[in-house]
Amino acid sequence: MQVRGEAAVAAGIAPDSPAAEPVIAELVAAWLPTQTGTADPPTEDNPAARARLLEQLETAAEPVVERYWQLLCTVTGRPAPPRWDTAGAWTTAALRAHPRPYGLDRSAFDGTDPERVLRAYEQVTRDVAALVAAVRPEDLALPTPCAGWSVRQLLDHMVWENLMATSIAEDAPRDDHTADHLGDDHRAAFDDSVRAALAAFTGSGMLRRTYGPYEAPGAMIVQQVVVELLAHGWDLARATGAPTGLAPEAAEETLAAAHRIYGAAPRTEGSSFAPERPAPPGASATDRLAAFLGRDPA
């Protein structure tokens, strides 16, 4: 369980994303046999089983309980169990976000015309790159609408989004989510990541291929990156005082894609998105996207 949880963290899988569900299903399947000697053991993956696993993980994370096991291992001469703070935090957050098993909704795969998706990526990255180019070194420490993220952390994440999509196109998914992807030149890092992504999208056939056990369209993966970059571009604009009406040519269809991809995503503790906020009358599509993803566009 620890190894699988750490692998999910390394792969950058958000605990509330659809990609986390098969990981949780796998963890629950591995956990069920360990419960055969308990009272009323669960026999299948269902809400009750997931609630019990979550309760066990939360109990194990209590400092007193952890200390007990460390002392017990010392007394018996056994090696102390490995700490799995990172994997445990991811797994508990994923269990809260996915309290019950669910089948894949393939409707999220619809509406991914490769040419339109590529054009939207080019339009969004054009406007976001202009924002990134205007960021001064003294701006990097500014707070952003993404809770706990500075401008530098936000930019690093945006670069990683491009690099991760590039690595998927090249059939070599990255596992360095927590590394520093920005270096000393945030402008060059972002521009280079965009160029690499565009070359990979067009040169690998990604936009017309499928990926993973669910055969997700490559165009949808790119479309997800477009949603992320436009939303985080809005975050950057708000943090630096720039206009938020980014990529007007692509914003409406990107908003529609966000509803299709993330419409069923839980808005629970540990989720990537806060509850949807109201957008003011006449708000741009980018402002409405920010509101849908939990930002306050007022």
Side-chain angles (χ1 to χ4, degrees), residues 34 56 63 69 81 86 99 111 115 134 136 166 185 238 261 292 294:
T34 70
Q56 290 180 2
W69 286 113
T86 301
E115 297 306 320
R136 303 165 300 177
T166 301
D185 189 337
R238 287 297 290 264
I261 297 170
F292 173 67

Side-chain angles (χ1 to χ4, degrees), residues 218-230:
M220 193 205 74
I221 296 174
V222 177
Q223 194 170 56
Q224 187 173 10
V225 176
V226 174
V227 173
E228 291 282 318
L229 290 178
L230 185 56

Side-chain angles (χ1 to χ4, degrees), residues 160-177:
W160 180 83
E161 288 277 0
N162 283 323
L163 296 177
M164 186 63 187
T166 301
S167 70
I168 293 172
E170 296 172 344
D171 296 315
R174 304 172 71 102
D175 60 0
D176 60 345
H177 182 246

Side-chain angles (χ1 to χ4, degrees), residues 88-171:
W90 185 93
T91 305
T92 54
L95 283 167
R96 293 189 193 101
H98 303 279
R100 58 185 57 82
Y102 63 85
L104 177 68
D105 180 5
R106 298 193 70 85
S107 65
F109 293 173
D110 298 336
T112 49
D113 176 76
E115 297 306 320
R116 292 184 67 87
V117 169
L118 182 61
R119 187 160 56 250
Y121 180 84
E122 292 172 334
Q123 292 165 345
V124 168
T125 54
R126 174 202 65 203
D127 283 11
V128 173
L131 285 178
V132 174
V135 172
R136 303 165 300 177
E138 58 266 32
D139 295 332
L140 294 174
L142 291 173
T144 72
C146 284
W149 277 9
S150 66
V151 166
R152 191 185 198 286
Q153 290 168 312
L154 179 70
L155 292 175
D156 184 90
H157 178 76
M158 293 164 72
V159 169
W160 180 83
E161 288 277 0
N162 283 323
L163 296 177
M164 186 63 187
T166 301
S167 70
I168 293 172
E170 296 172 344
D171 296 315

